[in-house]
Amino acid sequence: MSFARVLHKGSFQCKLPGAIMAGLALHEFHQTAGASFTEVSGQEAVAHYGDWRAEYDALRDGAGVIDLSFRGRLCVLGADRQRFLNGQVTNNVKDLQGGHGCYAALVSAKGKLQSDINIYCLENELLLDLEPGYADGVAQWLEKYVIAEDVQIIDAAPHYGLLSVQGAKAASLGDKWPGDVMRISEAGEIFAANRPRLGGAGFDLFVPIAGLREAAEQLVSRGGRLCGWDAFETARVELGIPRFGVDMDETNLAPEALGEGAISYSKGCYIGQEVIARVRTYGQVAKSLRRLKLGGDVTKGAKLFLGDKEVGYVTSVVRSPALNAVVGLGYVRREANVKGAELFVEMPHGRIPVELDF
């Protein structure tokens, strides 16, 4: 049985903009475990379970289990699904084989980002994993371009949850697999995806809502530690991993924020392809997203200066336990984007030095 057949068992209801967002399906499970909750892009998420530092350590060096069910999940169905999506995103979807996937972006005709997407090629559908709050917009964007193609787009989030295991010991909680995604048939319609989200080892489990609690309990019983968003975000920022809606948005050209692995320059035409190809052919982008080491506390949006010239701004800031320093992400203009540039943030109590390439 495929993702699509499971989804078709229930009725599909599109979430309307401004609708009240549902809480996590495992809210009571997390509450019993001592969770404090937060909101991520209008969706309920676990902030922490009382000891965010221990959770942070698990996500780096152990096996941290985080409920990412607040993220968006779409299924693209139909005989033309791969050809269609290939013409919409920056990476090569047309040649994906079953059980494999890629990271890509949806961009406008002007090359501006609309969303980043993890794409998995399943037997009868493409599974899209998105930042929270963007699934409706992406679905509407894609549907706008469906003309005569055999393509259907379904919201998978009401039917499937997402549990992620991250950390150096993540593999101890699950079996290894040869591709990017596979069905765990003995456990029912659970799909396991090879997905390191924090730069090391990690995998995701897409689990039917009815089996979500059992899956979470099994991961914990095998030695996983429940972790919240506070620890996850700290680890993400210190590793320099951007997040759509925070470190990149609709104002950014794809090459400003995304690595080469998200863009194929040989796949052929897609919306925005000409602009992105010109950027690569004729020169660098005006600004690029960089990791920043900050000499003190600054706020998101703080401006970066080189001498008396404004040369960028900060998008994310955390205090890194691993580095014992304040670190962040931010955009730096080309003329200042060199190692050793003496950048700083002007604060009321003085200048905060900023280091690149730390």
Side-chain angles (χ1 to χ4, degrees), residues 1-3 5-7 9 25-26 69 73 156-163 183-184 187-192 205-216:
M1 187 180 293
S2 70
F3 232 107
R5 287 178 63 187
V6 172
L7 297 179
K9 286 183 177 180
L26 291 184
S69 299
R73 290 171 295 290
H159 307 275
Y160 272 80
L162 172 55
L163 301 175
R183 179 190 292 113
I184 307 176
E189 288 298 315
I190 296 177
F191 291 80
L205 293 177
F206 296 90
V207 186
I209 295 298
L212 197 57
R213 183 182 184 112
E214 181 182 355

Side-chain angles (χ1 to χ4, degrees), residues 82-146:
Q82 283 189 250
R83 180 175 60 84
F84 168 76
L85 194 61
N86 194 64
Q88 302 293 322
V89 301
T90 57
N91 217 336
N92 186 354
V93 177
K94 178 174 62 69
D95 296 328
L96 282 180
Q97 300 298 309
H100 291 270
C102 66
Y103 178 58
L106 188 70
V107 299
S108 70
K110 295 183 178 180
K112 297 296 182 72
L113 288 166
Q114 305 302 304
S115 177
D116 67 339
I117 311 173
N118 296 310
I119 302 172
Y120 300 109
C121 183
L122 307 181
E123 183 179 0
N124 297 305
E125 56 270 309
L126 296 169
L127 170 61
L128 312 186
D129 166 48
L130 308 134
E131 283 290 330
Y134 287 92
D136 286 348
V138 169
Q140 291 167 14
W141 178 283
L142 294 177
E143 286 168 350
K144 180 175 64 175
Y145 289 98
V146 176

Side-chain angles (χ1 to χ4, degrees), residues 292-316:
L292 310 174
K293 186 175 182 180
L294 304 154
D297 292 324
V298 303
T299 56
K300 176 182 176 179
K303 296 178 180 179
L304 300 173
F305 289 89
L306 178 64
D308 60 357
K309 184 177 182 181
E310 182 182 331
V311 293
Y313 55 93
V314 178
T315 59
S316 289

Side-chain angles (χ1 to χ4, degrees), residues 52-320:
W52 81 270
R53 176 57 196 272
E55 297 165 28
Y56 162 88
D57 290 339
L59 288 168
R60 286 174 52 92
D61 304 318
V65 179
I66 182 168
D67 187 352
L68 296 180
S69 299
F70 53 85
R71 288 180 61 85
R73 290 171 295 290
L74 298 173
C75 269
V76 182
L77 314 174
D80 299 325
R81 61 188 180 276
Q82 283 189 250
R83 180 175 60 84
F84 168 76
L85 194 61
N86 194 64
Q88 302 293 322
V89 301
T90 57
N91 217 336
N92 186 354
V93 177
K94 178 174 62 69
D95 296 328
L96 282 180
Q97 300 298 309
H100 291 270
C102 66
Y103 178 58
L106 188 70
V107 299
S108 70
K110 295 183 178 180
K112 297 296 182 72
L113 288 166
Q114 305 302 304
S115 177
D116 67 339
I117 311 173
N118 296 310
I119 302 172
Y120 300 109
C121 183
L122 307 181
E123 183 179 0
N124 297 305
E125 56 270 309
L126 296 169
L127 170 61
L128 312 186
D129 166 48
L130 308 134
E131 283 290 330
Y134 287 92
D136 286 348
V138 169
Q140 291 167 14
W141 178 283
L142 294 177
E143 286 168 350
K144 180 175 64 175
Y145 289 98
V146 176
I147 308 300
E149 296 89 351
D150 178 10
V151 171
Q152 301 87 45
I153 300 161
I154 291 179
D155 185 4
H159 307 275
Y160 272 80
L162 172 55
L163 301 175
S164 187
V165 182
Q166 302 295 319
K169 299 179 181 178
S172 66
L173 272 64
D175 298 325
K176 295 182 179 179
W177 49 90
D180 297 312
V181 63
M182 66 173 288
R183 179 190 292 113
I184 307 176
S185 56
E186 64 271 21
E189 288 298 315
I190 296 177
F191 291 80
N194 182 11
R195 183 69 178 94
R197 291 183 179 270
L198 296 174
F203 64 90
D204 289 348
L205 293 177
F206 296 90
V207 186
I209 295 298
L212 197 57
R213 183 182 184 112
E214 181 182 355
E217 290 172 343
Q218 287 187 8
L219 291 172
V220 172
S221 70
R222 293 176 187 175
R225 183 184 183 109
L226 291 173
C227 299
W229 188 243
D230 293 351
F232 186 91
E233 277 290 272
T234 300
R236 176 190 73 80
V237 174
E238 71 180 13
L239 289 167
I241 300 171
R243 182 175 158 234
F244 190 80
V246 177
D247 304 296
M248 49 184 173
D249 58 27
E250 293 85 352
T251 67
N252 295 117
L253 290 167
E256 292 178 347
L258 299 178
E260 290 288 310
I263 302 172
S264 170
Y265 291 98
S266 60
K267 58 169 278 187
C269 294
Y270 61 90
I271 295 172
Q273 182 262 343
E274 292 184 1
V275 173
I276 292 174
R278 283 201 301 270
V279 169
R280 187 174 190 241
T281 301
Y282 297 111
Q284 300 176 343
V285 290
K287 63 180 184 295
S288 299
L289 191 65
R290 298 295 302 274
R291 291 175 71 202
L292 310 174
K293 186 175 182 180
L294 304 154
D297 292 324
V298 303
T299 56
K300 176 182 176 179
K303 296 178 180 179
L304 300 173
F305 289 89
L306 178 64
D308 60 357
K309 184 177 182 181
E310 182 182 331
V311 293
Y313 55 93
V314 178
T315 59
S316 289
V317 183
V318 299
R319 184 169 289 277
S320 166

